[in-house]
Amino acid sequence: MKDNTRTLIMLGVMAVLGLMFAFASIALLQMHTITERMGDLVEVRNAKIAAANKMRDAIRSRADSLRKMRLTQDPFERDEEYQHFLAHAGNYRAATERLAGLGVTPQEAGIHERLQQLTRQAQTASDAAALLLESGADGDIEAAMRDAVSLQAGMLEQLDALVELEEAASGQSLADSRVHYQRSRNLLIILTGVILLFCYLLARLISRYVASKNRQLNYQSSHDALTGLINRREFEKRVERAIRSAQSLPAAHTLMYLDLDQFKVINDVCGHGAGDLLLQHLAGLLRGTVRHRDTLGRLGGDEFGLLLENCPLDKAVGIAGKLLKSIEEYHFTWQDNTFTLSISIGVVPLDETTTDIASAMSAADAACYIAKEAGRNQIQVAYLGDRQLQQRRSEMQWVARLTRALEQNQFKLYYMPIISCAEGNGSSRQIELLLRMIDDDGSVISPRLFLPAAEKYNLATAIDRWVIDHALQWLAEHSYDHNWPITISINLSAPTLASHDMLRYIIERAEQTGAPPERIIFEITENAAIANLTEATGFMLTLRGRGFRFTLDDFGSGLSSFVFLKKLPVDFLKIDGAYVRDILSDPVDYALVRSINELAHLLDKQTIAERVETMSVANELRELGVNYLQGYAYAGPEPLSCFTYTQKPRLVVVAR
């Protein structure tokens, strides 16, 4: 759009310059033509006047010579004057030819014709000169002289008339030239005025066009194209202004964060066209519910922001209630589908304690999320110091850190030995790999701190992908060591069990790396398997058909798992460490561990006891017949980069 404006301005300027050049060229060319014509006319008139004057001088000089010939008695002087007479006659003829060569105007034609007649009659002067030269009879000379004088007088009269005519014509030409010059100057002035008017109109047009484009750009930069509401950038500007107002004046404002519930369902069922139409209707519905002076904006997707300036919290909550009611009463229809809607609203007061816009917007977002977790279609009022709000903001901070850790590869695998109860010497033949996150300062962060936020905000699958990628690559590089093949077990989160993309990724990645499926065991938690029983069963059966195996982790944490154990195609049961740790002091824990172990063996599954912290507990578990032991009684976690084959590993368990 900026390029179009620049092009328009450039074309306008070029058009103005072109017109100015064209008009100036036309005016200058006309003035130059007039000047040349004036010069030519003046030159011709002056030449004609000069020729007429030469003819007149020649006639007078010839008359003088003829008079001198008559007065002198000396034959030599008379002969000399005769020569002068002939020379003047030649000058007359030369001037006559010059005058004829300059052209004849209609006004000059009569004078020229009479001059030619008189010139033809000028032989009498020659006759008189001949008589004087030959000393003819006085009577003849006198008669010839009278005729010559009369003829010369007539010729002089015609030449005087010609000179007057040429001078008058020259004056008229100058007058005409001045008139034409004045007209050309007036035309140039008019053209200049036209150019200036055109420039003014063009400048006005460009100014209006640029102003219109600027208004359009300003509107587009501050408004959402779909709903016509202000966008997030403009909304945050107004919130920031309201915060400054609350800090400097005793004013109470309220910020609301609105999120449409189940919007994804409409998009998935009816398509994005229906979703866009719903957002447009919702924007109009919200606009009609709030006050005219309130600020409503679309923050992104199905999220809206509402700023109530000079509105106390209790009144704002009442407005939020009206919003909920209006949304509940609205029914969205698309083709044959009709949907009822609901919305979750987070409300945060803005007062002198509000420090910055980031904390205010984060608090409103967190309050809205809390309202969704409370059952949707709720209003959640939160203050910046709320514990629940701080927890939510802490989780959001973890989301940002985890996202950065995935992008910058800030995860690392550790390992921990697992001891086989079948070996009497207690040497380590199994290890479990543990996931850690490396912070910016190099510190190691336990998964207990970041996995809850990862699972809550849909990052667990991305972390699983990282673990699978690095674990399979490591397995492909360490598959065999003489007679000790390595088998790995990889923990999978609940979302991964329902992901067909992850199912394809596991199969493709195993083929790409060359990691043998029979050496790969996937570990899923009991709660994840039961919560997604159908998806988990299908996921497990697909991979088991390709040679992979499965472990059911934290078995016993939900007693209902006994009911589903026969339905789950697992190869190992990992007994929950909460029961293992106190089997020597708690009869109930002892009974549970024994029952789980016996049931697993009855179903032809092997057992792994975790969190074995003393050798006394380890000995008791061996007596119960548990297959594998793991815990600090043998070793703590170490970086996988420190792993060596001197431990002759038989089973490698990878966990988060």
Side-chain angles (χ1 to χ4, degrees):
M1 194 172 299
K2 290 182 178 178
D3 291 338
N4 293 337
T5 303
R6 190 179 297 112
T7 301
L8 179 63
I9 294 174
M10 186 176 298
L11 290 175
V13 172
M14 291 178 64
V16 170
L17 292 177
L19 285 174
M20 292 180 65
F21 178 77
F23 290 162
S25 299
I26 293 172
L28 291 175
L29 180 62
Q30 187 170 1
M31 293 177 68
H32 178 69
T33 302
I34 292 172
T35 302
E36 285 187 345
R37 187 186 307 165
M38 183 190 305
D40 293 341
L41 289 174
V42 171
E43 183 178 355
V44 170
R45 298 299 180 187
N46 290 338
K48 287 183 177 181
I49 292 173
N53 288 329
K54 285 184 178 180
M55 291 171 65
R56 192 164 52 183
D57 293 342
I59 290 173
R60 290 194 181 99
S61 297
R62 192 172 63 168
D64 291 341
S65 296
L66 186 61
R67 193 178 301 111
K68 289 179 181 180
M69 287 178 65
R70 184 178 181 185
L71 295 176
T72 184
Q73 297 299 321
D74 187 353
F76 294 102
E77 290 182 0
R78 187 176 294 173
D79 182 65
E80 183 179 358
E81 287 299 330
Y82 182 71
Q83 296 300 323
H84 291 163
F85 178 85
L86 294 178
H88 296 318
N91 291 337
Y92 178 83
R93 286 192 297 272
T96 302
E97 292 175 358
R98 170 66 175 162
L99 182 62
L102 293 174
V104 180
T105 65
Q107 295 83 358
E108 299 169 350
I111 297 176
H112 275 263
E113 185 176 354
R114 287 192 292 274
L115 280 173
Q116 289 175 359
Q117 292 175 357
L118 293 174
T119 300
R120 287 193 292 270
Q121 297 173 7
Q123 185 62 33
T124 54
S126 299
D127 294 341
L131 290 172
L132 289 172
L133 182 64
E134 296 174 359
S135 300
D138 292 337
D140 294 336
I141 293 174
E142 190 66 30
M145 287 292 292
R146 283 197 303 270
D147 292 339
V149 170
S150 176
L151 182 62
Q152 289 174 355
M155 294 178 69
L156 288 175
E157 182 180 355
Q158 294 299 318
L159 287 173
D160 290 338
L162 179 62
V163 170
E164 290 179 0
L165 178 62
E166 295 299 335
E167 289 179 347
S170 179
Q172 185 62 40
S173 297
L174 290 174
D176 293 342
S177 297
R178 281 194 291 270
V179 170
H180 287 299
Y181 184 85
Q182 185 69 28
R183 289 177 180 175
S184 298
R185 188 182 67 177
N186 293 339
L187 177 61
L188 182 60
I189 293 173
I190 293 172
L191 292 178
T192 303
V194 171
I195 292 174
L196 292 176
L197 179 61
F198 179 80
C199 291
Y200 170 76
L201 294 176
L202 182 62
R204 189 176 179 85
L205 177 63
I206 293 175
S207 176
R208 288 184 176 179
Y209 177 80
V210 171
S212 174
K213 289 299 180 182
N214 287 336
R215 286 193 299 270
Q216 183 179 355
L217 288 173
N218 291 334
Y219 182 87
Q220 291 176 348
S221 66
S222 61
H223 285 74
D224 173 55
L226 179 65
T227 62
L229 302 176
I230 62 172
N231 57 24
R232 188 184 191 100
R233 177 171 169 268
E234 180 65 21
F235 183 80
E236 290 182 348
K237 280 184 179 179
R238 301 188 185 186
V239 173
E240 191 171 12
R241 184 179 61 195
I243 292 174
R244 290 197 301 267
S245 170
Q247 291 172 345
S248 59
L249 299 173
H253 312 303
T254 304
L255 173 65
M256 291 188 190
Y257 201 100
L258 301 87
D259 193 344
L260 185 63
D261 298 328
Q262 302 299 333
F263 177 70
K264 186 176 183 298
V265 175
I266 298 176
N267 259 344
D268 294 341
V269 173
C270 302
H272 291 284
D276 291 345
L277 182 62
L278 171 59
L279 291 176
Q280 291 174 342
H281 289 182
L282 184 63
L285 185 62
L286 294 175
R287 259 195 302 249
T289 306
V290 301
R291 305 173 304 176
H292 291 293
R293 62 178 181 272
D294 297 331
T295 300
L296 178 65
R298 184 186 179 198
L299 305 184
D302 59 343
E303 299 171 345
F304 297 85
L306 179 60
L307 174 62
L308 307 175
E309 297 188 55
N310 299 312
C311 182
L313 183 60
D314 55 348
K315 189 173 181 179
V317 172
I319 294 175
K322 292 180 181 178
L323 290 174
L324 287 183
K325 185 177 180 181
S326 63
I327 297 298
E328 287 176 353
E329 294 174 350
Y330 173 74
H331 297 280
F332 176 69
T333 301
W334 178 265
Q335 296 176 352
D336 297 332
N337 300 308
T338 300
F339 300 91
T340 57
L341 306 176
S342 64
I343 196 167
S344 299
I345 303 177
V347 181
V348 175
L350 304 178
D351 50 31
E352 67 277 2
T353 63
T354 307
T355 56
D356 56 79
I357 184 175
S359 60
M361 293 295 293
S362 177
D365 182 17
C368 181
Y369 187 85
I370 294 171
K372 277 187 174 293
E373 289 185 329
R376 304 181 186 276
N377 200 34
Q378 301 283 331
I379 300 172
Q380 178 66 43
V381 180
Y383 299 89
L384 297 182
D386 285 355
R387 181 187 60 80
Q388 191 177 10
L389 195 62
Q390 291 176 350
Q391 179 182 354
R392 160 70 177 173
R393 293 172 66 183
S394 176
E395 291 173 348
M396 294 303 296
Q397 291 175 355
W398 271 118
V399 170
R401 293 175 68 182
L402 288 171
T403 303
R404 186 174 69 252
L406 286 169
E407 293 174 350
Q408 300 179 2
N409 199 31
Q410 290 181 298
F411 290 107
K412 189 174 183 179
L413 291 175
Y414 277 58
Y415 78 94
M416 190 173 180
I418 296 178
I419 307 303
S420 173
C421 295
E423 298 181 359
N425 57 11
S427 61
S428 174
R429 297 190 178 186
Q430 307 165 20
I431 63 173
E432 175 186 6
L433 295 185
L434 308 171
L435 181 66
R436 299 289 186 267
M437 188 175 82
I438 309 302
D439 207 355
D440 295 335
D441 59 0
S443 60
V444 179
I445 301 175
S446 170
R448 290 193 302 271
L449 299 177
F450 60 80
L451 279 184
E455 293 175 352
K456 192 172 185 179
Y457 296 101
N458 302 321
L459 288 175
T461 301
I463 295 177
D464 285 351
R465 187 184 292 264
W466 187 95
V467 173
I468 290 169
D469 182 63
H470 287 75
L472 295 188
Q473 186 64 44
W474 186 87
L475 176 64
E477 297 172 357
H478 302 79
S479 292
Y480 295 95
D481 177 41
H482 304 294
N483 296 322
W484 301 99
I486 300 174
T487 302
I488 65 172
S489 178
I490 304 171
N491 262 333
L492 300 178
S493 63
T496 296
L497 298 179
S499 173
H500 295 288
D501 292 338
M502 282 294 291
L503 190 62
R504 288 192 296 268
Y505 178 77
I506 291 171
I507 297 171
E508 293 174 358
R509 191 65 182 137
E511 293 175 351
Q512 292 170 358
T513 59
E518 65 274 10
R519 299 300 176 186
I520 301 171
I521 300 174
F522 291 108
E523 189 169 327
I524 61 175
T525 64
E526 176 188 356
N527 292 333
I530 295 173
N532 303 277
L533 185 62
T534 303
E535 292 85 353
T537 302
F539 188 93
M540 295 163 69
L541 289 175
T542 301
L543 290 182
R544 289 191 89 221
R546 291 182 172 268
F548 298 90
R549 291 182 291 171
F550 284 85
T551 294
L552 188 61
D553 193 12
D554 294 337
F555 190 82
S557 59
L559 295 181
S560 60
S561 58
F562 283 95
V563 178
F564 301 103
L565 184 58
K566 290 194 296 183
K567 299 181 180 180
L568 293 172
V570 297
D571 304 280
F572 300 90
L573 292 183
K574 181 175 283 189
I575 305 171
D576 192 347
Y579 305 126
V580 172
R581 184 181 56 187
D582 298 326
I583 61 171
L584 295 180
S585 58
D586 191 331
V588 176
D589 289 346
Y590 180 86
L592 284 172
V593 172
R594 184 179 62 184
S595 299
I596 293 172
N597 185 65
E598 291 175 354
L599 180 61
H601 290 164
L602 183 63
L603 296 173
D604 197 24
K605 305 179 190 300
Q606 298 189 67
T607 55
I608 303 171
E610 60 182 359
R611 294 178 64 180
V612 179
E613 298 179 355
T614 66
M615 292 306 299
S616 299
V617 172
N619 292 332
E620 188 64 34
L621 291 169
R622 284 194 181 93
E623 291 294 329
L624 290 175
V626 175
N627 301 103
Y628 298 98
L629 307 177
Q630 175 189 7
Y632 281 90
Y634 297 98
E638 294 290 340
L640 182 59
S641 57
C642 300
F643 175 80
T644 63
Y645 290 100
T646 57
Q647 295 171 306
K648 296 183 175 60
R650 177 184 171 196
L651 176 64
V652 178
V653 182
V654 178
R656 292 175 299 171

